[in-house]
mmCIF file with all atom_site columns, all heavy atoms in Angstrom:
data_model
loop_
_atom_site.group_PDB
_atom_site.id
_atom_site.type_symbol
_atom_site.label_atom_id
_atom_site.label_alt_id
_atom_site.label_comp_id
_atom_site.label_asym_id
_atom_site.label_entity_id
_atom_site.label_seq_id
_atom_site.pdbx_PDB_ins_code
_atom_site.Cartn_x
_atom_site.Cartn_y
_atom_site.Cartn_z
_atom_site.occupancy
_atom_site.B_iso_or_equiv
_atom_site.pdbx_formal_charge
_atom_site.auth_seq_id
_atom_site.auth_comp_id
_atom_site.auth_asym_id
_atom_site.auth_atom_id
_atom_site.pdbx_PDB_model_num
ATOM   1  N N   . ASN Q 1 8   ? 73.270 106.378 109.124 1.00 98.00 ? 1439 ASN Q N   1
ATOM   2  C CA  . ASN Q 1 8   ? 73.082 105.410 110.211 1.00 98.00 ? 1439 ASN Q CA  1
ATOM   3  C C   . ASN Q 1 8   ? 74.437 104.772 110.527 1.00 98.00 ? 1439 ASN Q C   1
ATOM   4  O O   . ASN Q 1 8   ? 74.942 103.982 109.736 1.00 98.00 ? 1439 ASN Q O   1
ATOM   5  C CB  . ASN Q 1 8   ? 72.054 104.361 109.750 1.00 98.00 ? 1439 ASN Q CB  1
ATOM   6  C CG  . ASN Q 1 8   ? 71.891 103.216 110.726 1.00 98.00 ? 1439 ASN Q CG  1
ATOM   7  O OD1 . ASN Q 1 8   ? 72.382 103.269 111.856 1.00 98.00 ? 1439 ASN Q OD1 1
ATOM   8  N ND2 . ASN Q 1 8   ? 71.215 102.162 110.284 1.00 98.00 ? 1439 ASN Q ND2 1
ATOM   9  N N   . LYS Q 1 10  ? 75.105 102.623 112.756 1.00 98.00 ? 1441 LYS Q N   1
ATOM   10 C CA  . LYS Q 1 10  ? 74.936 101.258 113.295 1.00 98.00 ? 1441 LYS Q CA  1
ATOM   11 C C   . LYS Q 1 10  ? 75.810 101.092 114.553 1.00 98.00 ? 1441 LYS Q C   1
ATOM   12 O O   . LYS Q 1 10  ? 76.044 102.082 115.259 1.00 98.00 ? 1441 LYS Q O   1
ATOM   13 C CB  . LYS Q 1 10  ? 75.244 100.214 112.212 1.00 98.00 ? 1441 LYS Q CB  1
ATOM   14 C CG  . LYS Q 1 10  ? 74.435 100.476 110.935 1.00 98.00 ? 1441 LYS Q CG  1
ATOM   15 C CD  . LYS Q 1 10  ? 74.412 99.351  109.962 1.00 98.00 ? 1441 LYS Q CD  1
ATOM   16 C CE  . LYS Q 1 10  ? 73.544 99.741  108.774 1.00 98.00 ? 1441 LYS Q CE  1
ATOM   17 N NZ  . LYS Q 1 10  ? 73.413 98.686  107.778 1.00 98.00 ? 1441 LYS Q NZ  1
ATOM   18 N N   . HIS Q 1 93  ? 64.348 98.917  111.380 1.00 98.00 ? 1524 HIS Q N   1
ATOM   19 C CA  . HIS Q 1 93  ? 65.471 98.629  110.487 1.00 98.00 ? 1524 HIS Q CA  1
ATOM   20 C C   . HIS Q 1 93  ? 65.544 97.108  110.291 1.00 98.00 ? 1524 HIS Q C   1
ATOM   21 O O   . HIS Q 1 93  ? 65.285 96.339  111.222 1.00 98.00 ? 1524 HIS Q O   1
ATOM   22 C CB  . HIS Q 1 93  ? 66.784 99.172  111.077 1.00 98.00 ? 1524 HIS Q CB  1
ATOM   23 C CG  . HIS Q 1 93  ? 67.905 99.116  110.086 1.00 98.00 ? 1524 HIS Q CG  1
ATOM   24 N ND1 . HIS Q 1 93  ? 68.585 97.960  109.816 1.00 98.00 ? 1524 HIS Q ND1 1
ATOM   25 C CD2 . HIS Q 1 93  ? 68.439 100.062 109.266 1.00 98.00 ? 1524 HIS Q CD2 1
ATOM   26 C CE1 . HIS Q 1 93  ? 69.495 98.202  108.871 1.00 98.00 ? 1524 HIS Q CE1 1
ATOM   27 N NE2 . HIS Q 1 93  ? 69.418 99.478  108.529 1.00 98.00 ? 1524 HIS Q NE2 1
ATOM   28 N N   . GLU Q 1 165 ? 64.741 99.999  102.053 1.00 98.00 ? 1596 GLU Q N   1
ATOM   29 C CA  . GLU Q 1 165 ? 66.080 99.413  102.084 1.00 98.00 ? 1596 GLU Q CA  1
ATOM   30 C C   . GLU Q 1 165 ? 65.980 97.933  101.719 1.00 98.00 ? 1596 GLU Q C   1
ATOM   31 O O   . GLU Q 1 165 ? 65.691 97.092  102.600 1.00 98.00 ? 1596 GLU Q O   1
ATOM   32 C CB  . GLU Q 1 165 ? 66.695 99.559  103.479 1.00 98.00 ? 1596 GLU Q CB  1
ATOM   33 C CG  . GLU Q 1 165 ? 66.872 100.993 103.923 1.00 98.00 ? 1596 GLU Q CG  1
ATOM   34 C CD  . GLU Q 1 165 ? 67.949 101.125 104.996 1.00 98.00 ? 1596 GLU Q CD  1
ATOM   35 O OE1 . GLU Q 1 165 ? 67.829 100.507 106.071 1.00 98.00 ? 1596 GLU Q OE1 1
ATOM   36 O OE2 . GLU Q 1 165 ? 68.927 101.839 104.754 1.00 98.00 ? 1596 GLU Q OE2 1
ATOM   37 N N   . ILE Q 1 170 ? 71.856 95.894  101.410 1.00 98.00 ? 1601 ILE Q N   1
ATOM   38 C CA  . ILE Q 1 170 ? 72.491 96.503  102.578 1.00 98.00 ? 1601 ILE Q CA  1
ATOM   39 C C   . ILE Q 1 170 ? 73.877 95.914  102.805 1.00 98.00 ? 1601 ILE Q C   1
ATOM   40 O O   . ILE Q 1 170 ? 74.016 94.707  103.031 1.00 98.00 ? 1601 ILE Q O   1
ATOM   41 C CB  . ILE Q 1 170 ? 71.609 96.333  103.842 1.00 98.00 ? 1601 ILE Q CB  1
ATOM   42 C CG1 . ILE Q 1 170 ? 70.299 97.110  103.659 1.00 98.00 ? 1601 ILE Q CG1 1
ATOM   43 C CG2 . ILE Q 1 170 ? 72.348 96.798  105.093 1.00 98.00 ? 1601 ILE Q CG2 1
ATOM   44 C CD1 . ILE Q 1 170 ? 69.331 97.001  104.816 1.00 98.00 ? 1601 ILE Q CD1 1
ATOM   45 N N   . GLY Q 1 171 ? 74.871 96.751  102.700 1.00 97.00 ? 1602 GLY Q N   1
ATOM   46 C CA  . GLY Q 1 171 ? 76.247 96.336  102.969 1.00 97.00 ? 1602 GLY Q CA  1
ATOM   47 C C   . GLY Q 1 171 ? 76.830 95.376  101.948 1.00 97.00 ? 1602 GLY Q C   1
ATOM   48 O O   . GLY Q 1 171 ? 77.881 94.780  102.186 1.00 97.00 ? 1602 GLY Q O   1
ATOM   49 N N   . SER Q 1 211 ? 73.809 100.273 100.205 1.00 98.00 ? 1642 SER Q N   1
ATOM   50 C CA  . SER Q 1 211 ? 75.054 100.451 99.437  1.00 98.00 ? 1642 SER Q CA  1
ATOM   51 C C   . SER Q 1 211 ? 75.161 101.802 98.737  1.00 98.00 ? 1642 SER Q C   1
ATOM   52 O O   . SER Q 1 211 ? 75.715 101.902 97.640  1.00 98.00 ? 1642 SER Q O   1
ATOM   53 C CB  . SER Q 1 211 ? 75.223 99.305  98.429  1.00 98.00 ? 1642 SER Q CB  1
ATOM   54 O OG  . SER Q 1 211 ? 75.378 98.076  99.115  1.00 98.00 ? 1642 SER Q OG  1
ATOM   55 N N   . LEU Q 1 230 ? 69.226 106.989 102.928 1.00 98.00 ? 1661 LEU Q N   1
ATOM   56 C CA  . LEU Q 1 230 ? 69.628 106.495 104.249 1.00 98.00 ? 1661 LEU Q CA  1
ATOM   57 C C   . LEU Q 1 230 ? 70.917 105.705 104.031 1.00 98.00 ? 1661 LEU Q C   1
ATOM   58 O O   . LEU Q 1 230 ? 70.914 104.667 103.377 1.00 98.00 ? 1661 LEU Q O   1
ATOM   59 C CB  . LEU Q 1 230 ? 68.512 105.619 104.847 1.00 98.00 ? 1661 LEU Q CB  1
ATOM   60 C CG  . LEU Q 1 230 ? 68.764 105.035 106.234 1.00 98.00 ? 1661 LEU Q CG  1
ATOM   61 C CD1 . LEU Q 1 230 ? 69.126 106.111 107.257 1.00 98.00 ? 1661 LEU Q CD1 1
ATOM   62 C CD2 . LEU Q 1 230 ? 67.536 104.263 106.722 1.00 98.00 ? 1661 LEU Q CD2 1
ATOM   63 N N   . GLY Q 1 232 ? 74.424 103.805 105.244 1.00 98.00 ? 1663 GLY Q N   1
ATOM   64 C CA  . GLY Q 1 232 ? 75.057 103.059 106.325 1.00 98.00 ? 1663 GLY Q CA  1
ATOM   65 C C   . GLY Q 1 232 ? 76.561 103.236 106.280 1.00 98.00 ? 1663 GLY Q C   1
ATOM   66 O O   . GLY Q 1 232 ? 77.111 104.274 106.672 1.00 98.00 ? 1663 GLY Q O   1
ATOM   67 N N   . GLY Q 1 233 ? 77.259 102.221 105.754 1.00 98.00 ? 1664 GLY Q N   1
ATOM   68 C CA  . GLY Q 1 233 ? 78.725 102.195 105.745 1.00 98.00 ? 1664 GLY Q CA  1
ATOM   69 C C   . GLY Q 1 233 ? 79.400 103.485 105.312 1.00 98.00 ? 1664 GLY Q C   1
ATOM   70 O O   . GLY Q 1 233 ? 80.329 103.961 105.976 1.00 98.00 ? 1664 GLY Q O   1
HETATM 71 P P1  . LIG A 2 .   ? 74.797 100.342 103.769 1.00 54.85 ? 317  LIG A P1  1
HETATM 72 O O1  . LIG A 2 .   ? 74.770 101.768 103.238 1.00 54.85 ? 317  LIG A O1  1
HETATM 73 O O2  . LIG A 2 .   ? 76.036 100.022 104.518 1.00 54.85 ? 317  LIG A O2  1
HETATM 74 O O3  . LIG A 2 .   ? 74.434 99.360  102.713 1.00 54.85 ? 317  LIG A O3  1
HETATM 75 O O4  . LIG A 2 .   ? 73.619 100.266 104.875 1.00 54.85 ? 317  LIG A O4  1
HETATM 76 C C1  . LIG A 2 .   ? 72.359 100.748 104.587 1.00 54.85 ? 317  LIG A C1  1
HETATM 77 C C2  . LIG A 2 .   ? 71.578 100.787 105.832 1.00 54.85 ? 317  LIG A C2  1
HETATM 78 O O5  . LIG A 2 .   ? 71.258 99.757  106.405 1.00 54.85 ? 317  LIG A O5  1
HETATM 79 C C3  . LIG A 2 .   ? 71.234 102.105 106.380 1.00 54.85 ? 317  LIG A C3  1
HETATM 80 O O6  . LIG A 2 .   ? 70.287 102.016 107.391 1.00 54.85 ? 317  LIG A O6  1
#
Side-chain angles (χ1 to χ4, degrees):
N1439 173 11
K1441 307 194 178 182
H1524 190 281
E1596 298 203 301
I1601 295 179
S1642 296
L1661 181 54

